[in-house]
Amino acid sequence: VYLAIVFTPFVVKAEIINNSPYILWVKPETGDDIIHIEPNNFFSNKHDGFTFECNNQWFVYKTIDNIDAYVEKNCDVKFSTRKNWLYFILQKIFGGLIIVPPDASWQPLFDKRIDFTTLKNLPIYKKEADG
């Protein structure tokens, strides 16, 4: 907690870079809107986390301040920081893969998993996917 208080005034924009062939959904640090990021694109602003579907599995990641996230073509997720290396350690402790919403503000991001899974099961989506 002490480290978070010490580093909080030095928050800068961070990025989520989508190098994957999948759409990512981002939870910005402020506001209620969930933002989508197309493949081979990025989001450059403060963020709390993101989700994406890869090979019919859903992943939700929490990010702390000053952490950049990279989603690679094979769905690997990597984190880095342009600030003090302690942010990377804090990401290892307080961020990463999560399976339940930490609080109610995360529910819209988790709902994207449900929305997309439902959409994929609709006959029209299957028809377009089949060709």
Side-chain angles (χ1 to χ4, degrees), residues 24-119:
L24 271 58
W25 298 94
V26 177
K27 179 187 181 302
E29 193 166 297
T30 58
D32 295 330
D33 293 334
I34 301 302
I35 298 168
H36 79 279
I37 304 173
E38 295 290 330
N40 301 309
N41 214 325
F42 66 94
F43 175 81
S44 182
N45 209 336
K46 296 176 186 176
H47 50 81
D48 284 336
F50 60 96
T51 186
F52 65 100
E53 183 259 348
C54 179
N55 300 323
N56 295 315
Q57 294 183 16
W58 276 96
F59 302 93
V60 179
Y61 288 88
K62 180 174 180 7
T63 53
I64 67 160
D65 292 340
N66 295 311
I67 289 293
D68 294 325
Y70 301 85
V71 180
E72 302 299 337
K73 289 180 182 174
N74 61 359
C75 299
D76 282 348
V77 176
K78 298 177 182 170
F79 300 101
S80 69
T81 182
R82 291 172 262 174
K83 298 290 279 181
N84 190 309
W85 59 271
L86 287 175
Y87 286 106
F88 189 72
I89 293 171
L90 291 172
Q91 173 64 30
K92 291 280 191 185
I93 296 169
F94 298 109
L97 190 63
I98 57 175
I99 57 172
V100 294
D103 60 50
S105 71
W106 283 78
Q107 194 59 51
L109 188 66
F110 276 77
D111 289 346
K112 286 297 180 188
R113 300 180 319 159
I114 297 164
D115 292 346
F116 191 78
T117 302
T118 303
L119 175 68

